[in-house]
C-alpha cells in the first residue's frame, strides 16, 4: 500500500511538471489544453492521496527502483524529460504525446495490477477512484494530433 501511494505521488509530481512544460512549449492548442488538465487532475489526485496517506499514517517515500526494469524505466524517464526540455513546436508535441501515452499506460497497469492485493480499504478505494482518470488521460494522449496531422480532427 505504501509503495503504491509513493509511486503514484512521484508520478503525480512528474505529470504536473510535464503538464506545465506542455502549457509553455506545446505548439498545438490540444497539447496546451491537455497540459493544463494534467496539472489540475494530478494536483487533485495528489491532494487526495496525501489525505489518505495522512489519515492512514502512511509515510510517502521516494520510490526505490528495486529491479533492473524499474531502474531502466527511471533512467528512461529522466532522458525523456531532458529531451522534452530541448524540443519545441511540433517536435515537442509529438514527443510529449508519445511520453504521455507510455506513462499513463504504465500507470494504469501499475494501479490496476495493485488493486487486488491492497490491504488498506481507504488506499484501495483511492486506487479504484484514480484508475478511471488515468485511463482517460491515456485516451486523451492517444487522440493528440501527430506531427503533420491536422488538429481539426
Amino acid at each position: 500500500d505504501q509503495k503504491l501511494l509513493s509511486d503514484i505521488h512521484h508520478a503525480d509530481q512528474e505529470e504536473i511538471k510535464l503538464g506545465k512544460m506542455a502549457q509553455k512549449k506545446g505548439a498545438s492548442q490540444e497539447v496546451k489544453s491537455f497540459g493544463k488538465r494534467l496539472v489540475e487532475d494530478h494536483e487533485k489526485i495528489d491532494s487526495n492521496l496525501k489525505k489518505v496517506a495522512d489519515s492512514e499514517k502512511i509515510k510517502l517515500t521516494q520510490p526505490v527502483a528495486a529491479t533492473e526494469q524499474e531502474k531502466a524505466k527511471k533512467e528512461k524517464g529522466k532522458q525523456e524529460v531532458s529531451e522534452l526540455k530541448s524540443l519545441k513546436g511540433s517536435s515537442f508535441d509529438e514527443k510529449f504525446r508519445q511520453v504521455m501515452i507510455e506513462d499513463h499506460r504504465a500507470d494504469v497497469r501499475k494501479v490496476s495490477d495493485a488493486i487486488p492485493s491492497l490491504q488498506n480499504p481507504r488506499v484501495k478505494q483511492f486506487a479504484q477512484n484514480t484508475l478511471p482518470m488515468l485511463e482517460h488521460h491515456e485516451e486523451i494522449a492517444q487522440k493528440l494530433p501527430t506531427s503533420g496531422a491536422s488538429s481539426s480532427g
Side-chain angles (χ1 to χ4, degrees):
D1 294 18
Q2 179 189 21
K3 180 175 178 6
L4 181 69
L5 287 185
S6 294
D7 286 351
I8 293 174
H9 173 64
H10 183 69
D12 284 339
Q13 300 308 306
E14 287 300 308
E15 300 297 343
I16 290 166
K17 190 187 316 175
L18 293 173
K20 288 177 178 176
M21 195 186 300
Q23 289 177 74
K24 287 183 188 145
K25 299 184 78 165
S28 74
Q29 190 53 50
E30 292 93 336
V31 166
K32 289 177 186 275
S33 296
F34 184 46
K36 183 176 190 287
R37 175 145 190 194
L38 281 175
V39 172
E40 291 168 357
D41 287 355
H42 283 281
E43 283 177 345
K44 188 171 150 190
I45 290 171
D46 209 48
S47 173
N48 291 337
L49 181 151
K50 287 175 184 171
K51 286 177 190 165
V52 170
D54 288 346
S55 72
E56 300 302 307
K57 311 271 187 280
I58 297 171
K59 186 177 183 331
L60 298 175
T61 59
Q62 275 293 355
V64 177
T67 66
E68 286 304 315
Q69 186 178 9
E70 287 174 336
K71 288 176 187 166
K73 185 182 181 321
K74 189 174 182 179
E75 191 54 41
K76 183 179 181 213
K78 283 182 188 173
Q79 289 172 348
E80 287 172 339
V81 170
S82 176
E83 187 178 343
L84 280 167
K85 284 179 182 173
S86 70
L87 295 172
K88 51 186 161 224
S90 61
S91 299
F92 174 87
D93 286 9
E94 184 67 34
K95 182 66 179 177
F96 178 75
R97 176 183 183 274
Q98 176 194 338
V99 169
M100 287 298 97
I101 291 170
E102 289 173 9
D103 279 4
H104 284 92
R105 187 171 291 150
D107 292 345
V108 165
R109 191 175 313 119
K110 180 183 288 185
V111 174
S112 59
D113 288 353
I115 287 172
S117 62
L118 293 172
Q119 301 299 312
N120 183 304
R122 292 216 39 214
V123 173
K124 189 174 224 165
Q125 184 67 51
F126 166 78
Q128 289 168 330
N129 290 345
T130 300
L131 191 57
M133 192 181 300
L134 296 174
E135 290 169 335
H136 189 59
H137 285 179
E138 183 186 349
E139 289 170 20
I140 294 170
Q142 288 173 342
K143 291 176 184 167
L144 289 174
T146 54
S147 58
S150 86
S151 59
S152 60

